[in-house]
Amino acid sequence: MAVTRRRGRAAGESTAGEIRSVALDQFYKHGFQATTLRDIASRVGIQVGSLYNHITSKGELLFDIMETVMLDLLEDQRQQAQEPDVVERMRLLVYHHVRFHGDRAKEVFIGNSELRSLNRQQRARIVTLRHEYEGMFQKELEDGIRQGKFLPVDVQLTAYGILAMTTWVSSWYSPRGRLSLEEIADIYSDMVLRGIWNPAAGQLQTHLRRVGRDSAKRLLAAAATK
Amino acid sequence: MAVTRRRGRAAGESTAGEIRSVALDQFYKHGFQATTLRDIASRVGIQVGSLYNHITSKGELLFDIMETVMLDLLEDQRQQAQEPDVVERMRLLVYHHVRFHGDRAKEVFIGNSELRSLNRQQRARIVTLRHEYEGMFQKELEDGIRQGKFLPVDVQLTAYGILAMTTWVSSWYSPRGRLSLEEIADIYSDMVLRGIWNPAAGQLQTHLRRVGRDSAKRLLAAAATK
DNA sequence: TAGACAAACTAACGATCGCTCTTTGGCACA
DNA sequence: TGTGCCAAAGAGCGATCGTTAGTTTGTCTA
């Protein structure tokens, strides 16, 4: 009997790439545990057993996704950390954190919700990378406080708060939503800076991108005439 | 042959209560999908089949937990919403959101991470309750902006941000940590108010609980003399 | 003391899981 | 035109899952 065998490849993507991309979708939609290899295989258009020509295990597939996105994020943000002014540096970190979390929402969401599904060594590796990343924000807060630009806030709590607020973008952002990713990133960077700015260090205005800059006079005037 | 049969009850808790409490722990630690009824049963000290004298299904057990915590949260916060001053009202909402999310971290964490594991009707119900809750924060923001107390920020994004930051407390808070839950709640309420306060409406100081109130002079002086 | 009832037990069903192993098809290259 | 090899198919293993059914036990009540 003639057997229909999958031939050739989708344009520009290897089977391994397809598997990774389909797994990403399914892990994002249904979670790692609820996603079966049979589901992934059928969406790629191959049989379950054939998956193992490309992956070593289901768990390793998850780990690859999570490690890749963390390494990419760290690399992106190390670029921003070269800005000399501490306030601007913090603004850039927040801004690009939001951008990254919107652009790569699925991977990031998985990275934040599937730590439990990793084995001990895998989890240790990811946790190390995450600590390293959190450290970047804590360092900027400490710098800013030392320079008198930021209020002497609790560094750990503030970093957690900033990261939580901006990371959450990955769970609701849609490219077809009311606001562009750039607008969202601007709004959140402004909010963060206002939340930690030390009034004794002068005006924050020059660092803001939306409320308080171009539109500042209009907005404040509107509020005052109420 | 004599069979050892589970007799009596743990002090003060019914079997149904024990099941719920054990399920809570396991769903929190390993997630819903990764938790088996055999695991729950063995921790309660009964056989798998016996569970069904107390639950209707595994999924219903999850839904019960998620609905209960949302209803309790809504009830708690409706109390706070009676405060007449809008700034203080917002502060109380944030403060009690943090307290609730620390006190009932496990339930809340499950509520935020297991939406995917519910069926269609269950999910619709929980989503409705969550929308209702988010609405409380959006309403306060609108009120505050209308009164000129808050900057004319994007209401939806700001509400999302506030809720994300404060909800995240449930994933790291420990009663044995460096800060008490009350301190954490104070710090975050202050941060939120600073982030949305309209300078044209005067001083924020009287509404703050930590930075900017008792310790304000010292902190600002320290920053200024740098 | 008999009977009703709640709640435990045991056993097993059917489905599905991740994964392994063997076989087979078809393309690149000699 | 042959040949080697990669990647597919396909069958199936052993374990485990949620759930159901039937039975047994202990206790409270009439």
Side-chain angles (χ1 to χ4, degrees):
Chain A
M1 187 203 298
V3 169
T4 307
R5 178 172 282 247
R6 185 165 180 271
R7 281 290 108 227
R9 302 178 160 161
E13 194 160 28
S14 65
T15 302
E18 276 187 76
I19 291 171
R20 194 195 169 89
S21 143
V22 167
L24 193 61
D25 282 347
Q26 297 307 111
F27 290 168
Y28 176 71
K29 271 191 223 158
H30 310 295
F32 173 76
Q33 305 275 1
T35 299
T36 72
L37 292 182
R38 280 165 177 83
D39 179 32
I40 294 175
S42 88
R43 282 168 197 273
V44 172
I46 60 178
Q47 298 297 313
V48 205
S50 309
L51 284 178
Y52 284 81
N53 289 318
H54 306 280
I55 66 173
T56 65
S57 76
K58 190 191 178 194
E60 200 67 33
L61 182 56
L62 173 64
F63 176 72
D64 275 351
I65 291 174
M66 292 178 68
E67 192 187 30
T68 301
V69 75
M70 271 310 298
L71 289 174
D72 289 353
L73 177 59
L74 274 165
E75 190 184 325
D76 266 31
Q77 293 287 52
R78 289 213 181 92
Q79 305 277 341
Q80 313 308 325
Q82 297 178 353
E83 156 70 36
D85 178 65
V86 67
V87 183
E88 189 62 10
R89 205 157 61 228
M90 176 60 86
R91 197 189 65 76
L92 284 171
L93 275 182
V94 173
Y95 182 89
H96 284 89
H97 183 90
V98 171
R99 286 221 43 170
F100 190 95
H101 280 66
D103 280 333
R104 302 179 63 172
K106 290 180 187 176
E107 292 159 273
V108 149
F109 183 81
I110 293 169
N112 283 318
S113 57
E114 296 292 0
L115 258 187
R116 291 185 298 203
S117 304
L118 298 174
N119 67 33
R120 194 179 304 274
Q121 301 100 297
Q122 290 171 333
R123 184 162 48 244
R125 164 71 170 156
I126 302 295
V127 166
T128 299
L129 292 175
R130 297 178 73 81
H131 271 127
E132 194 173 334
Y133 186 64
E134 287 169 16
M136 294 181 70
F137 285 77
Q138 300 198 13
K139 178 191 157 299
E140 300 310 339
L141 285 173
E142 283 161 5
D143 268 18
I145 293 170
R146 211 176 300 119
Q147 296 183 27
K149 298 289 182 65
F150 298 154
L151 286 170
V153 292
D154 186 285
V155 166
Q156 192 188 27
L157 241 65
T158 306
Y160 281 2
I162 294 171
L163 287 170
M165 179 171 92
T166 50
T167 296
W168 183 242
V169 169
S170 67
S171 4
W172 56 262
Y173 169 71
S174 157
R176 287 165 301 285
R178 175 170 58 89
L179 297 169
S180 76
L181 193 47
E182 289 75 12
E183 290 175 305
I184 296 167
D186 274 340
I187 289 174
Y188 276 144
S189 338
D190 285 4
M191 201 184 312
V192 165
L193 289 186
R194 280 199 308 272
I196 58 178
W197 181 255
N198 186 346
Q203 293 291 322
L204 174 60
Q205 250 73 346
T206 49
H207 292 284
L208 298 182
R209 284 294 169 274
R210 300 183 70 82
V211 176
R213 214 163 97 120
D214 303 334
S215 55
K217 284 165 225 141
R218 182 177 56 76
L219 293 174
L220 296 180
T225 61
K226 179 207 65 83
Chain B
M1 188 205 294
V3 169
T4 306
R5 179 172 281 248
R6 187 167 178 271
R7 282 288 109 228
R9 299 179 160 158
E13 194 160 27
S14 66
T15 301
E18 276 187 78
I19 290 171
R20 195 195 168 87
S21 144
V22 167
L24 192 61
D25 281 347
Q26 296 308 110
F27 290 169
Y28 177 71
K29 271 191 225 162
H30 310 295
F32 173 76
Q33 305 274 1
T35 299
T36 72
L37 291 182
R38 281 164 177 83
D39 179 31
I40 294 175
S42 87
R43 281 168 197 272
V44 172
I46 60 177
Q47 298 298 311
V48 205
S50 308
L51 285 177
Y52 284 81
N53 289 318
H54 306 280
I55 68 173
T56 64
S57 75
K58 190 191 176 192
E60 200 67 33
L61 182 55
L62 173 65
F63 176 72
D64 276 351
I65 291 173
M66 291 178 68
E67 193 189 29
T68 301
V69 74
M70 270 311 297
L71 289 175
D72 288 353
L73 176 59
L74 274 165
E75 190 184 326
D76 265 33
Q77 293 287 53
R78 289 213 180 92
Q79 305 278 341
Q80 313 308 326
Q82 298 179 352
E83 157 69 35
D85 178 65
V86 67
V87 183
E88 188 62 10
R89 204 156 63 229
M90 176 60 86
R91 196 188 65 76
L92 284 171
L93 275 182
V94 173
Y95 182 89
H96 284 89
H97 183 90
V98 172
R99 286 219 44 168
F100 190 96
H101 280 65
D103 281 334
R104 301 180 64 172
K106 290 180 187 177
E107 291 158 274
V108 150
F109 182 81
I110 292 169
N112 284 316
S113 57
E114 296 292 0
L115 257 188
R116 290 184 300 201
S117 304
L118 299 174
N119 67 33
R120 194 179 305 274
Q121 302 100 295
Q122 290 170 335
R123 185 164 44 246
R125 164 70 171 156
I126 301 294
V127 166
T128 299
L129 291 175
R130 298 178 72 82
H131 271 126
E132 194 173 335
Y133 186 65
E134 288 168 15
M136 294 181 69
F137 285 77
Q138 299 198 14
K139 179 191 156 298
E140 300 309 339
L141 285 173
E142 283 161 5
D143 267 19
I145 293 170
R146 209 175 301 118
Q147 296 182 27
K149 299 290 183 66
F150 298 154
L151 285 171
V153 290
D154 186 284
V155 166
Q156 193 188 26
L157 242 66
T158 305
Y160 282 2
I162 293 171
L163 287 171
M165 178 170 91
T166 49
T167 296
W168 182 243
V169 169
S170 67
S171 1
W172 56 261
Y173 169 71
S174 156
R176 287 167 300 285
R178 176 169 57 90
L179 296 169
S180 76
L181 192 48
E182 288 77 11
E183 290 175 306
I184 296 168
D186 275 340
I187 289 174
Y188 276 143
S189 338
D190 284 2
M191 201 183 313
V192 165
L193 291 187
R194 280 198 309 269
I196 59 178
W197 181 255
N198 186 346
Q203 293 292 321
L204 174 61
Q205 250 74 347
T206 50
H207 292 285
L208 299 181
R209 285 293 169 274
R210 301 182 68 82
V211 177
R213 214 164 97 119
D214 302 335
S215 55
K217 284 166 225 140
R218 181 176 56 75
L219 293 175
L220 296 181
T225 60
K226 177 208 71 78

